[in-house]
């Protein structure tokens, strides 16, 4: 414009009159459009925040209960006549006494406790008293007795889990109203629980066992925990880390820095992008065919889960690593080559360290995605009831294990409503893990990021 | 160079795992989601008491479980398949083709199928004919075969409450659907005389039977492909709905559900065991005989499952809602002798 002769001004649409500060119709329209757009943006964020808040509120309110658990403290008289009928205190013989017999010893103990406190409730049946405590308690007592047979005949104090309904009562999930209709509990039983709580025998406290216990069957939701699932998820993430990172990073370094640009590498590139969008269940089908049926790896094992998730995570890692490598300015490579470095030296001494934050972020996000995946695990037998902890590494990779998202899926299918609470609790645990991983990714990026 | 180290260690892991792949020390079970809770209860007790690891129990549906079961013999195949229906001939053929020949069939008890509505709703007393008239695509009205015109339960039967017809029934992939069609809809078709009317209207035998079990598709009968928890959630959101549940599921949720009677009989483990309550089915599991002796504790597990303490009328399974098998002793004997199917 400055070059134009002043005598020939550009044909202005209309000569503007009046104050510069007064907006004309066109400016007003443009400003209105801008503020509308801002409004849309704010609305979009508000909607997503609202969805997030509702989701978190539902999960937290539903799952917070899983982290608290009610226990009953009772002295149990370990009746020798029942627990060691032959009287030899031989653990092998005593192991023949099933938990069902221990259940009767415990029933007597609970009845004795109720009698000791002189609690009288009209309409309270023996069944109400006996079903006060969890079935898990008999296993707890049996294990303790088998470990120390000399306890037989003595009276020992035990901290036992109470039944799921009673526990729900202290958490507000079960009310007197619902108990009146419920065939598994009764208002009298809840009254008894309240009386025991008032006397300090029954306490609700933080539930570490939720994090360390294994899954439990439908009859004892109060004993179920995510221990095996956390361990299984950890093993799988280890396999993914050990396999996907080196394979993914070396594949991307080769493709980005060394590979000739031709039709073949184009095809490979398109396929990698395609694989990143393949539904994850497809990798499960592949895993079943390749790792279980062909290689003969065992079902339900974290190694197979890890391998399947590796396949699923590889494209994500390759794509983000290539993007990170691309972002390193070519001048770095040129300078390295200019002072006589070989191609490999320039990549490994200069480009790769600079691309590291991007690679780490991509890897962690890939891992986080793998951590939350259920569908591919369905087909390789990991969506299962697993109660034994897998062994330590590396043998534990071959033992059956569960995974956190699988545990959530399993628990939502159970009939006892107490499992819904457990499922929400497991979601909270999973979310905390994901949050930690994403924070780590952000922290690493901030720490190592270089700007040019 | 850390990449090289990583790759080497990764290869080492694979190598180590390939050699360790040899031995399996726990039993693997797969199959029906109806049998799953019973299976996990027994697995848990077995692990506590028998000194063996707790069996791993998967749910994949009866069909999926039997498919896995029939894949072959060997440590990387499952030992037991849970089933909510007897194994089909076609599945036996697949089994035989893959070398799974000696199969033990174990009947663990009976499962009742109940109809329940929201606990705040009215009481229902159905007959199979009511269900047929409410849900069938074609019904008989004044001697004519017509498209189902009923929209409320009192149109079906004046004794029923005036409530909109809305039924959540198991999807076709469920074993429960088959029982529902056979014991409720087809029975109701015959009972109400519709089967005869269909035949009289010119259909042949097969077409008439097919017409009996063809359900209406106008949104009054909703297929639920998920599990009972989904049915329960649907009933909670639409209080007019009536759902089809397993007895054990209902017994664990009596605070939210109200069960209907069939022909005047209230479902319970007792009324099902005596045969008064008509809608029930046997539950099974299938065991590979070839794995007995190969997998530690397999026979112990099967014997433990059908023992009186566990599967008997006072055992934990009955407590959870399984209708104990009156012929349990025969099953125990068959298991002890390792009797296989013919």
């Amino acid at each position: 414009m400055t070059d134009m002769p002043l005598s020939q001004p550009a044909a202005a649409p209309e000569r503007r009159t009046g104050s510069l500060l007064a907006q004309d119709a066109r400016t007003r329209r443009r400003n209105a459009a801008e503020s509308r757009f801002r409004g849309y943006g704010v609305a979009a964020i508000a909607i997503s925040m609202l969805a997030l808040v509702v989701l978190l509120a539902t999960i937290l309110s539903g799952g917070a209960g899983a982290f608290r658990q009610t226990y009953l403290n009772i002295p149990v008289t370990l009746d020798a006549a029942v627990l060691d009928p032959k009287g030899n205190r031989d653990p092998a013989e005593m192991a023949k006494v099933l938990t069902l017999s221990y259940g009767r010893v415990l029933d007597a103990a609970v009845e004795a406790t109720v009698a000791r406190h002189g609690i009288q409730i009209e309409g309270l049946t023996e069944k109400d008293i006996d079903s006060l405590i969890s079935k898990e308690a008999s296993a707890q007592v049996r294990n303790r007795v088998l470990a120390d047979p000399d306890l037989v005949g003595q009276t020992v104090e035990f901290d036992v889990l109470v039944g799921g309904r009673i526990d729900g009562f202290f958490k507000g999930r079960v009310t007197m109203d619902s108990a009146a209709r419920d065939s598994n509990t009764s208002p009298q039983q809840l009254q008894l629980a309240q009386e025991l709580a008032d006397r300090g025998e029954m306490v609700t406290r933080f539930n570490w066992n939720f994090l360390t216990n294994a899954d439990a069957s439908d009859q004892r939701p109060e004993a179920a925990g995510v221990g095996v699932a956390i361990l299984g998820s950890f093993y799988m993430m280890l396999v993914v880390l050990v396999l996907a990172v080196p394979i993914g990073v070396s594949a991307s370094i080769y493709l980005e820095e060394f590979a000739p640009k031709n039709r073949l590498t184009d095809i490979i590139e398109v396929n990698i992008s395609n694989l990143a969008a393949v539904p994850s269940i497809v990798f499960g089908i592949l895993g079943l065919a390749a790792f279980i049926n062909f290689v003969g790896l065992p079902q339900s094992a974290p190694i197979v889960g890890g391998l399947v998730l590796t396949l699923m995570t590889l494209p994500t890692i390759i794509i983000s690593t290539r993007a990170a490598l691309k972002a390193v300015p070519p001048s770095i490579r040129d300078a390295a080559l200019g002072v006589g470095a070989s191609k490999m030296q320039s990549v490994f001494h200069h480009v790769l360290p600079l691309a590291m934050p991007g690679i780490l972020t991509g890897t962690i996000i890939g891992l986080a995605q793998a951590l939350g995946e259920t569908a591919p695990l369905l087909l390789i037998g990991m969506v299962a009831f697993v109660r034994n902890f897998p062994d330590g590494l590396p043998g534990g990779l071959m033992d059956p294990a569960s995974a956190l998202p699988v545990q959530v899926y399993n628990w939502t299918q159970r009939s006892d409503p107490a499992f819904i609470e457990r499922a929400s609790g497991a979601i909270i645990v999973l979310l905390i893990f994901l949050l930690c991983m994403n924070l780590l990714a952000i922290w690493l990026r901030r720490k190592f990021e270089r700007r040019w | 160079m850390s990449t090289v180290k990583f790759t080497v260690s990764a290869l080492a892991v694979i190598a180590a795992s390939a050699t360790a792949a040899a031995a399996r020390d726990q039993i693997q079970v797969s199959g029906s989601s109806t049998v799953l809770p019973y299976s996990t209860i027994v697995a848990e007790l077995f692990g506590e008491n028998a000194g063996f690891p707790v069996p791993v129990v998967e749910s994949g549906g009866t069909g999926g479980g039997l498919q896995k079961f029939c894949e072959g013999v060997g440590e990387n195949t499952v030992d037991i398949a849970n089933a909510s229906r007897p194994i089909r001939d076609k599945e036996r053929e697949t089994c035989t083709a893959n070398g799974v020949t000696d199969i033990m069939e174990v009947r663990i008890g009976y499962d009742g199928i109940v109809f329940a509505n929201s606990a705040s709703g009215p009481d229902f007393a159905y007959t199979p004919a009511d269900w047929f008239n409410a849900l069938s695509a074609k019904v008989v009205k004044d001697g004519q075969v017509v498209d189902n015109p009923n929209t409320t339960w009192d149109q079906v039967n004046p004794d029923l409450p005036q409530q909109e017809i809305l039924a959540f029934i198991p999807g076709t992939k469920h074993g429960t659907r088959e029982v529902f069609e056979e014991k409720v809809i087809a029975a109701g078709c015959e009972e109400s005389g519709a089967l005869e009317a269909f035949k009289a209207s010119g259909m042949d035998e097969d077409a008439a039977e097919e017409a009996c079990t063809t359900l209406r598709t106008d949104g009054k009968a909703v297929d639920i492909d998920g599990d009972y928890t989904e049915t329960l959630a649907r009933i909670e959101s639409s209080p007019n709905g009536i759902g089809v549940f397993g007895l054990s599921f209902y017994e664990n949720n009596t605070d939210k559900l109200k069960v209907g009677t069939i022909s005047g009989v209230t479902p319970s483990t007792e009324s099902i065991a005596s045969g008064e309550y008509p809608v029930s089915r046997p539950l099974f599991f299938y065991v590979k005989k070839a794995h007995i002796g190969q997998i530690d504790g397999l026979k112990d597990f099967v014997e433990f499952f059908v023992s009186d303490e566990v599967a008997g009328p006072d055992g934990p399974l009955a407590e959870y809602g399984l209708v104990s098998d009156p012929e349990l002793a025969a099953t125990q004997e068959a298991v002890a002798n390792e009797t296989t199917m013919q």
Side-chain angles (χ1 to χ4, degrees):
Chain A
M1 290 290 275
T2 47
D3 294 344
M4 278 185 184
L6 284 170
S7 55
Q8 290 173 349
E14 202 178 305
R15 193 183 160 82
R16 205 191 147 119
T17 57
S19 165
L20 259 181
L21 296 175
Q23 294 181 342
D24 60 13
R26 195 182 151 91
T27 313
R28 272 201 300 278
R29 270 207 307 282
R30 288 194 307 167
N31 286 353
E34 182 171 328
S35 50
R36 272 203 306 279
F37 180 74
R38 286 178 184 218
Y40 297 151
V42 171
I45 289 176
I47 290 172
S48 43
M49 289 307 287
L50 189 72
L52 187 67
V53 166
V54 170
L55 177 80
L56 285 181
T58 322
I59 291 171
L60 288 178
S61 67
F67 295 93
R68 297 177 59 72
Q69 198 69 46
T70 312
Y71 293 84
L72 175 67
N73 187 283
I74 45 167
V76 182
T77 307
L78 300 167
D79 188 352
V82 179
L83 304 186
D84 188 13
K86 293 196 180 138
N88 297 330
R89 299 290 184 272
D90 177 5
E93 274 178 20
M94 285 162 63
K96 292 207 177 72
V97 180
L98 301 186
T99 44
L100 303 166
S101 308
Y102 281 81
R104 285 193 278 283
V105 171
L106 275 161
D107 290 348
V110 180
E111 280 160 28
T113 303
V114 173
R116 183 159 52 87
H117 284 291
I119 300 170
Q120 297 286 341
I121 294 164
E122 205 176 314
L124 189 71
T125 62
E126 199 173 308
K127 179 178 170 266
D128 284 336
I129 300 178
D130 294 347
S131 63
L132 198 64
I133 57 168
S134 165
K135 293 192 186 331
E136 183 76 6
S138 43
Q140 184 191 344
V141 175
R142 183 172 183 268
N143 288 342
R144 176 97 172 263
V145 168
L146 289 188
D148 185 3
D150 293 333
L151 289 177
V152 173
Q154 301 177 21
T155 300
V156 185
E157 293 235 335
F158 281 93
D159 239 3
V160 298
L161 285 164
V162 304
R165 291 295 201 278
I166 307 295
D167 180 49
F169 172 61
F170 289 108
K171 293 172 185 168
R173 196 180 62 233
V174 176
T175 60
M176 289 289 178
D177 273 356
S178 73
R181 295 191 300 266
D182 198 328
S183 62
N184 289 334
T185 184
S186 65
Q188 288 80 12
Q189 193 183 28
L190 297 185
Q191 252 177 22
L192 169 64
Q194 188 61 55
E195 296 266 350
L196 284 169
D198 291 345
R199 286 170 170 76
E201 299 285 0
M202 205 178 263
V203 285
T204 307
R205 57 170 183 256
F206 189 78
N207 182 20
W208 283 110
N209 289 336
F210 179 64
L211 297 176
T212 54
N213 270 8
D215 194 3
S217 76
D218 287 51
Q219 275 187 323
R220 36 181 109 158
E222 56 280 351
V226 290
V228 172
I230 290 180
L231 203 58
S233 278
F234 172 71
Y235 282 0
M236 286 198 296
M237 288 307 108
L238 215 60
V239 174
V240 175
L241 197 68
V242 164
L243 292 178
V245 174
I247 296 177
V249 171
S250 33
S252 12
I253 291 176
Y254 178 76
L255 280 174
E256 199 55 44
E257 304 286 343
F258 296 97
K261 297 274 174 278
N262 56 24
R263 178 159 296 200
L264 185 67
T265 48
D266 281 350
I267 292 174
I268 290 174
E269 198 166 323
V270 168
N271 274 309
I272 289 172
S273 310
N274 243 344
L275 275 181
V278 164
S280 54
I281 187 102
V282 175
F283 291 104
I285 299 172
L286 181 70
L288 175 66
F291 302 125
I292 293 181
N293 292 347
F294 182 69
V295 181
L297 290 173
Q299 306 239 11
S300 316
I303 180 93
V304 183
L307 287 168
V308 168
L309 293 178
T310 300
L311 294 179
M312 206 195 78
T313 320
L314 263 179
T316 316
I317 292 183
I318 292 178
I319 289 170
S320 62
T321 304
R322 291 190 66 183
L325 291 172
K326 265 195 197 116
V328 176
S331 55
I332 304 278
R333 297 182 183 84
D334 296 342
L337 295 175
V339 296
S342 70
K343 180 88 183 166
M344 192 163 149
Q345 282 173 324
S346 89
V347 170
F348 281 94
H349 295 174
H350 302 283
V351 179
L352 198 57
L354 288 172
M356 225 22 148
I359 296 176
L360 286 175
T361 314
T363 306
I364 292 172
I365 289 172
L367 279 180
Q369 192 190 347
L371 181 64
E373 199 57 69
T374 339
L377 305 180
L378 262 171
L379 290 161
I380 57 168
M382 284 197 85
V383 181
F385 172 78
V386 183
R387 193 152 156 85
N388 286 113
F389 280 87
D391 285 345
L393 291 168
L397 290 176
M398 311 303 285
D399 289 339
S402 179
L404 271 173
V406 163
Q407 200 65 70
V408 173
Y409 174 76
N410 265 346
W411 282 345
T412 52
Q413 293 178 313
R414 302 270 177 93
S415 58
D416 195 310
F419 278 108
I420 305 292
E421 173 190 281
R422 299 268 148 178
S424 298
I427 295 173
I428 293 175
V429 173
L430 184 63
L431 282 180
I432 290 173
F433 277 113
L434 291 175
L435 190 69
C436 290
M437 288 174 82
N438 287 329
L439 284 179
L440 182 70
I442 291 173
W443 181 74
L444 285 172
R445 196 166 61 216
R446 287 274 164 82
K447 190 166 162 61
F448 296 110
E449 196 170 42
R450 286 279 299 271
R451 288 182 192 280
W452 288 284
Chain B
M1 288 301 107
S2 59
T3 326
V4 178
K5 275 186 200 157
F6 258 141
T7 320
V8 170
S9 50
L11 289 175
V13 167
I14 297 176
S17 56
T19 47
R24 166 151 75 81
D25 51 9
Q26 77 289 331
I27 299 163
Q28 291 210 322
V29 185
S30 182
S32 166
S33 51
T34 310
V35 187
L36 180 77
Y38 305 116
S39 215
T40 55
I41 289 169
V42 180
E44 190 173 66
L45 284 172
F46 181 68
E48 272 167 18
N49 289 307
F52 291 103
V54 179
V56 172
V57 190
E58 258 187 87
S59 79
T62 301
L66 283 169
Q67 195 185 344
K68 270 193 147 171
F69 183 79
C70 290
E71 262 168 12
V73 173
E75 282 192 343
N76 62 340
T77 59
V78 298
D79 310 309
I80 295 178
N82 292 332
S84 57
R85 56 162 170 79
I87 190 168
R88 293 188 178 128
D89 289 344
K90 210 166 167 204
E91 288 161 340
R92 284 293 298 279
E93 283 162 25
T94 321
C95 264
T96 313
N98 290 329
V100 187
T101 44
D102 289 342
I103 302 172
M104 291 159 61
E105 183 182 62
V106 182
R107 189 174 63 213
I108 59 168
Y110 292 85
D111 175 41
I113 291 170
V114 306
F115 303 94
N117 56 328
S118 169
S120 56
D123 291 323
F124 278 91
Y126 317 98
T127 63
D130 295 340
W131 274 97
F132 167 75
N133 282 321
L135 293 187
S136 180
K138 303 254 185 225
V139 293
V140 179
K141 198 133 199 163
D142 306 327
Q144 297 293 313
V145 175
V146 292
D147 283 345
N148 197 334
N150 300 323
T151 54
T152 58
W153 283 100
D154 62 338
Q155 292 172 0
V156 171
N157 178 347
D159 297 338
L160 288 172
Q162 186 187 4
Q163 180 174 318
E164 196 194 331
I165 296 174
L166 179 61
F168 299 111
I169 58 175
T172 44
K173 74 164 193 169
H174 283 278
T176 318
R177 173 65 170 260
E178 230 168 272
V179 185
F180 173 72
E181 283 183 357
E182 181 191 331
K183 300 231 164 139
V184 182
I185 301 293
C189 184
E190 209 172 317
E191 184 185 302
S192 66
L195 184 65
E196 291 305 316
F198 285 158
K199 283 182 193 156
S201 74
M203 295 186 203
D204 63 26
E205 188 110 357
D206 286 349
E209 271 167 18
E210 171 124 21
C212 274
T213 54
T214 306
L215 300 185
R216 62 201 296 182
T217 51
D218 55 358
K220 302 268 183 228
V222 182
D223 278 19
I224 303 287
D225 279 326
D227 38 54
Y228 295 138
T229 46
E230 188 188 339
T231 315
L232 177 63
R234 296 289 284 267
I235 286 183
E236 282 176 344
S237 62
S238 45
N240 276 341
I242 293 167
V244 178
F245 295 97
L247 178 68
S248 60
F249 188 92
Y250 160 71
E251 292 206 326
N252 272 294
N253 290 281
T254 46
D255 54 330
K256 302 188 198 74
L257 294 170
K258 184 183 274 181
V259 74
T261 60
I262 294 273
S263 311
V265 184
T266 310
S268 68
T269 44
E270 293 81 24
S271 63
I272 293 166
S274 68
E276 276 175 87
Y277 186 80
V279 199
S280 69
R281 57 163 166 194
L283 299 177
F284 302 90
F285 65 83
Y286 294 89
V287 189
K288 278 179 201 166
K289 193 178 171 186
H291 282 199
I292 292 178
Q294 302 294 313
I295 304 292
D296 284 346
L298 181 56
K299 190 169 179 193
D300 303 69
F301 177 67
V302 178
E303 285 181 332
F304 184 75
F305 205 130
V306 294
S307 64
D308 287 330
E309 287 100 334
V310 176
D314 301 318
L317 296 186
E319 196 182 323
Y320 188 72
L322 182 77
V323 179
S324 178
D325 187 350
E327 292 158 26
L328 196 60
T331 311
Q332 286 164 352
E333 202 190 315
V335 167
N337 299 334
E338 299 179 16
T339 313
T340 57
M341 293 174 77
Q342 293 309 307

